[in-house]
Amino acid sequence: MLVLLPPSEGKASSGRGAPLKPESLSLPGLAGARAAVLDELVELCAADEEKARGVLGLSEGLRGEVAKNVELRTAGARPAGEIYTGVLYDALGLATLDAAAKRRAGRSLLVFSGLWGAVRVTDRIPSYRCSMGVKLPGLGALGGHWRGAMASVLPEAAGDGLVLDLRSSAYASAWKPKGEVAARTATVRVLHAPTRKVVSHFNKATKGRIVRSLLEAGAVPRSTEELVEALRDLRYVVEESGKPGALDVLVDEIH
């Protein structure tokens, strides 16, 4: 099973580890597209802080994020699973998984990124600021920039198992499963059961808990039907929404 996750806007600091080694990142077929974004992002942020802040959509209070991007090649790198923070990643709790579940996370989790395209949680990256919604002056919209490289790399990464797509719409724009991969792709929407409405915070938190539950259980569903069965075994309330591969997980409490 391959689980597609969004990144978090907020990120932990880079720390004091060895700097980025682009050649060590997973999915080497994305290397050229990564280098293009990295080069332009560093140049933009080094040349004109105000322009960079506008391009990146940063408020005055986030001005320091521009300087962070200038140092991307020399800043310390940490596993991506330690860099990404926020509601989903807090609920996922990678650091507190047992050894077997951590190994499963390293094999099955893929985090999408405006800068890196997609990385595994074990890939060492520096902290950065560059969402998929950014439009760089030279490369244009990052969703479109990544689409070509992703089209050739992601089907291979997906293998022949289930793809569980938990990305937000901005990150889903970088790669849309097609053909037989689409036929074995499942999406999850989290609804507040009494109102049948999506609420952003517990949507993210519940998705993090779902991934953690599957990792801890060692579940390897190979179809949407098997995923439904696995989630129900884990005491989630799941309904099929009527669209192929689309599931609704119902939650009574907002937390």
Side-chain angles (χ1 to χ4, degrees), residues 34 47 55 59 75 116-117 130 141 145 149-151 239 246 254:
R34 286 172 177 148
V55 169
S59 66
W116 313 114
C130 185
H145 169 75
M150 293 281 190
E239 295 179 354
I254 300 177

Side-chain angles (χ1 to χ4, degrees), residues 106-126:
R107 293 192 301 265
S108 63
L109 305 188
L110 202 60
V111 184
F112 274 61
S113 161
L115 174 53
W116 313 114
V119 292
R120 299 198 183 276
V121 293
T122 52
D123 285 335
R124 298 181 66 84
I125 59 173

Side-chain angles (χ1 to χ4, degrees), residues 51 76 100 104 141 149 160 162 187 220 239 246-247 252 255:
K51 181 178 179 180
R104 295 182 197 111
D160 59 2
L162 178 73
T187 59
V220 189
E239 295 179 354
L247 305 178
D252 288 323
H255 58 89

Side-chain angles (χ1 to χ4, degrees), residues 66-165:
V66 176
K68 179 192 292 185
N69 284 346
V70 175
E71 306 297 330
L72 283 171
R73 293 192 180 92
T74 56
R78 297 167 61 185
E82 297 177 13
I83 291 290
Y84 294 118
T85 59
V87 175
L88 188 154
Y89 290 91
D90 285 347
L92 173 53
L94 286 168
T96 59
L97 290 172
D98 64 34
K102 284 181 180 177
R103 288 193 294 271
R104 295 182 197 111
R107 293 192 301 265
S108 63
L109 305 188
L110 202 60
V111 184
F112 274 61
S113 161
L115 174 53
W116 313 114
V119 292
R120 299 198 183 276
V121 293
T122 52
D123 285 335
R124 298 181 66 84
I125 59 173
S127 187
Y128 68 96
R129 191 71 173 225
C130 185
S131 71
M132 192 65 78
V134 164
K135 185 176 182 179
L136 292 176
L139 293 176
L142 289 179
H145 169 75
W146 285 110
R147 223 165 278 143
M150 293 281 190
S152 60
V153 172
L154 265 293
E156 181 179 352
D160 59 2
L162 178 73
V163 177
L164 177 55
D165 189 352

Side-chain angles (χ1 to χ4, degrees), residues 157-182:
D160 59 2
L162 178 73
V163 177
L164 177 55
D165 189 352
L166 302 179
R167 297 172 297 168
S168 56
S169 57
Y171 290 89
S173 71
W175 180 61
K176 183 177 180 180
K178 298 182 184 300
E180 60 90 18
V181 180

